[in-house]
Amino acid sequence: MDVVRLEPMTVIGVVVEGPFDQLATLVPQGWKRLWDEADSIQDRLGDRFVEVSEHLGDGRYREVLGARVTASARTPDGMERIELPAASYVHSVHTGPLEGIAVRFGEMQEHSRSLGHEPDGVLLDEGYTRDGGQPHDLYVRLR
């Protein structure tokens, strides 16, 4: 795991929001919707899709399932656009089953604290493809 700096990025996709215990149902539904509508996202930067997770507090999370795009990309109807500022992140590569990603994110958050950095609640998982491709680049954003 290393600390890296990512430049600003724009992500367009579908949004899923809910309490942690409902995400196991809501997120797969969101991915299905994204795969059905992915071709409407123009000006994508690469073939891999991303999940941007933000802890909203009180056990609620907001997940944006989408694609990194150019800053000038048009937002299709029914989708949302988020802008992530340049920031430092703890980075790791995950090559195992998708179910292990949550555990890896926990390890990354602990590692960032051991380095004297505090995570700010935003997680970035880039590596999704329609065929379930690997690997996944995981990022924990730091305050």
Side-chain angles (χ1 to χ4, degrees), residues 2-143:
D2 21 321
V3 176
V4 299
R5 181 106 177 135
L6 294 182
E7 294 304 312
M9 73 178 76
T10 303
V11 175
I12 292 177
V14 300
V15 174
V16 172
E17 191 173 310
F20 183 78
D21 63 351
Q22 292 180 14
L23 293 180
T25 301
L26 296 173
V27 171
Q29 292 170 350
W31 279 111
K32 181 183 180 329
R33 181 176 160 221
L34 178 69
W35 296 137
D36 290 345
E37 301 176 23
D39 290 339
S40 67
I41 303 173
Q42 301 298 307
D43 300 321
R44 291 197 308 255
L45 299 173
D47 294 331
R48 300 187 321 159
F49 289 79
V50 301
E51 181 172 346
V52 180
S53 176
E54 181 179 9
H55 184 225
L56 302 173
D58 296 327
R60 293 191 61 79
Y61 291 82
R62 181 175 193 256
E63 310 287 326
V64 179
L65 315 171
R68 290 173 67 169
V69 298
T70 63
S72 62
R74 181 188 65 80
T75 305
D77 291 339
M79 292 197 184
E80 288 191 35
R81 164 194 215 92
I82 61 167
E83 307 285 341
L84 296 172
S88 293
Y89 293 79
V90 168
H91 170 251
S92 182
V93 176
H94 178 80
T95 57
L98 293 180
E99 296 79 19
I101 288 176
V103 170
R104 188 65 175 158
F105 271 130
E107 293 168 353
M108 293 169 68
Q109 290 171 347
E110 287 305 312
H111 180 72
S112 66
R113 289 182 184 102
S114 76
L115 297 174
H117 300 287
E118 187 60 31
D120 75 353
V122 173
L123 308 175
L124 174 64
D125 174 358
E126 183 173 26
Y128 293 92
T129 62
R130 290 178 190 203
D131 65 1
Q134 292 282 339
H136 284 247
D137 283 292
L138 306 179
Y139 300 89
V140 172
R141 193 167 75 186
L142 305 173
R143 291 191 195 281

